[in-house]
């Protein structure tokens, strides 16, 4: 089984994005099954969103609109969805970099 963490950074402000609601789902056919929810901490992190992920396809959903409203920012993308595949037994870290008009993600360590 693999574990999962995430980290959200507001590159527009140069700060961690705290208070971002995040939802993890397993993708099974046409349905998403919600496995866990969380909110980023003061450092923009959710250290362990799910401690045991078997191989499969998963989706992280980030409620960027809630974060933007709380921080008084105007944004172009109200939500970000990242779909990824767990193929082996190791830790997966999926960071999200935000700015008002762009976002980026990658497989972290």
């Amino acid at each position: 089984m693999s574990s999962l963490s995430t980290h959200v950074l507001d590159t527009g402000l140069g700060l961690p994005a705290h208070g971002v609601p995040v939802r993890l789902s397993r993708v099974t056919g046409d349905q998403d099954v919600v496995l866990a929810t969380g909110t980023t901490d003061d450092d923009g992190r959710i250290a362990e969103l799910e401690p045991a992920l078997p191989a499969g396809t998963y989706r992280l959903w980030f409620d960027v609109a809630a974060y933007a409203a709380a921080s008084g920012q105007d944004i172009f993308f109200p939500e970000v969805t990242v779909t990824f595949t767990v193929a082996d037994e190791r830790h997966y870290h999926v960071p999200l970099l935000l700015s008002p008009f762009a976002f980026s993600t990658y497989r972290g360590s």
Side-chain angles (χ1 to χ4, degrees), residues 65-73:
Y67 166 71
S71 61
Q73 297 184 67

Side-chain angles (χ1 to χ4, degrees), residues 84-99:
F84 61 98
T85 301
V86 169
D88 52 16
E89 293 185 12
R90 64 170 126 168
H91 179 73
Y92 284 76
H93 183 65
V94 181
L96 178 66
L97 307 176
L98 296 175
S99 71

Side-chain angles (χ1 to χ4, degrees), residues 55-76:
T57 302
Y58 296 88
R59 186 167 289 137
L60 279 171
W61 175 79
F62 298 87
D63 187 353
V64 179
Y67 166 71
S71 61
Q73 297 184 67
D74 291 326
I75 54 151
F76 183 70

Side-chain angles (χ1 to χ4, degrees), residues 21-47:
V22 179
R23 182 176 64 227
L24 171 68
S25 301
R26 181 163 186 163
V27 179
T28 56
D30 292 346
Q31 292 186 326
D32 285 7
V33 177
V34 176
L35 301 177
T37 59
T39 303
T40 57
D41 64 15
D42 288 343
D43 196 34
R45 296 179 183 274
I46 300 177

